Amino acid sequence: MDKIFTKNEIIDLLENDSKNDWLFKIADKVRRENVGDEVHLRGLIEFSNICKCSCKYCGLRSENKNLERYRMSKEEILSCAENAVKLGYKTIVLQSGEDVFYSVEKLCEIIREIKKFDVALTLSIGEKTYEEYSALKEAGADRYLLRIETTDKNLYKKMHPNMNFENRVACLYNLKTLGYEVGTGCLVGLPEQTFDSLAEDILFFKDLNADMIGIGPFIPNQNTPLSEAKGGDFWLALKVMAITRIMLPDINIPATTAMETLNPNGRLIALQSGANVVMPNVTSVQYRAKYEIYPNKICINDSPDKCRSCIEGKIKSIGRTISKNYGFHKI
Ligand code: 5AD
Ligand code: FES
């Protein structure tokens, strides 16, 4: 039976570290019993770092003039995707800032081409209208990642000037209605974020009945207004992830890159505390460093095949296997 924590129980687990070992062990057991020992790899293509948004924590924010911007051409994107498929990836993730240069028409063309490679396709390109999401789905997109970032409305407002919490929630429900597998998630350690609001984040994931949840610590970026902020704690982010696994036992949960940035063993620790997905970078090396959401991102000088073999070695070292399937939540 699913273990459902009450909000107070979640807050207690987040506040106190005395039950950490128990929590991570239970989350690992729930993961094994519900999604098994296979780890799903998703090849991540960061195809543009141009963004119209102003998220206070994010290095891609439009006000950041210290970042050299790039856009990959359709041909470059397809070449990264083809290379990823050759390396054995069964899911391609297309991620970018909110870059209006890529019209829905252009995106649909790219999606149709990538789908010819017989892979699942995930989009992570921000807020769009129902009609736009519908067209992208029609073109072949299977999944969509759109983190809610925080469910604390006041904090959301402070962190996202010119954005609207209700609209973001509406986007997530629109994606569900359209039949996407929907991924969301939150940042852990934003300034003024409380344990109460993190507990609400987890309850929101449950309410939405998400297919995938990505959780990462906030890492201050010197080129943002939050350069002096304290930043998130690896273990707290891991706890939010572990509780999420217990609350949503059979979903996909990535061991996030931000966790590895704060802890050299972060992804393996996450894989042993509830996670069952890793999203290695398959962007060509020339662009990697420029997709600087936060500092000290891992793998910025590594090639796609280096990352593929690196992560395979790590996964095998903890007795887990790499899935050969698409890794849908609902089969
Ligand atoms: N630290 C950690 N994660 C960040 N993101 C954006 N900025 C930061 C940061 N400074 C995350 C957001 C976004 C995802 C692509 O990257 O949660 O959804
Ligand atoms: Fe990129 Fe390890 S995953 S070098």
Side-chain angles (χ1 to χ4, degrees), residues 89 260 267 278-281 288 298-312 314:
Y89 288 99
E260 186 103 346
R267 287 178 300 180
V278 181
M279 298 169 65
N281 202 324
R288 285 186 182 212
I298 59 164
C299 306
I300 54 166
N301 294 315
D302 299 307
S303 65
D305 41 322
K306 164 85 195 301
C307 288
R308 181 62 175 70
S309 49
C310 163
I311 202 67
E312 179 166 347
K314 284 178 193 261

Side-chain angles (χ1 to χ4, degrees), residues 55 57-60 95 124 146-149 168 185-187 214 216-221 224 258 291 293-295:
C55 308
Y57 45 78
C58 182
L60 306 192
Q95 188 177 83
S124 178
L146 185 75
R147 286 188 181 172
I148 192 71
E149 314 293 1
R168 202 160 184 90
C186 64
L187 283 166
F218 156 59
I219 303 169
N221 183 321
T224 66
Y291 202 80
I293 294 179
Y294 51 79

Side-chain angles (χ1 to χ4, degrees), residues 165-200:
F165 179 77
E166 282 72 27
N167 188 55
R168 202 160 184 90
V169 174
C171 283
L172 287 167
Y173 281 93
N174 285 343
L175 290 162
K176 286 224 106 190
T177 306
L178 285 162
Y180 281 93
E181 287 209 343
V182 177
T184 188
C186 64
L187 283 166
V188 176
L190 289 170
E192 298 173 42
Q193 191 177 36
T194 60
F195 292 122
D196 189 286
S197 93
L198 286 169
E200 289 289 350

Side-chain angles (χ1 to χ4, degrees), residues 118-156:
D118 182 28
V119 285
L121 194 134
T122 306
L123 295 175
S124 178
I125 55 178
E127 295 183 17
K128 306 229 170 257
T129 64
Y130 184 90
E131 288 68 31
E132 289 170 325
Y133 284 148
S134 174
L136 297 167
K137 183 83 184 48
E138 194 69 25
D142 301 287
R143 311 187 187 124
Y144 208 102
L145 307 180
L146 185 75
R147 286 188 181 172
I148 192 71
E149 314 293 1
T150 175
T151 55
D152 178 330
K153 285 189 196 175
N154 283 327
L155 183 57
Y156 188 91

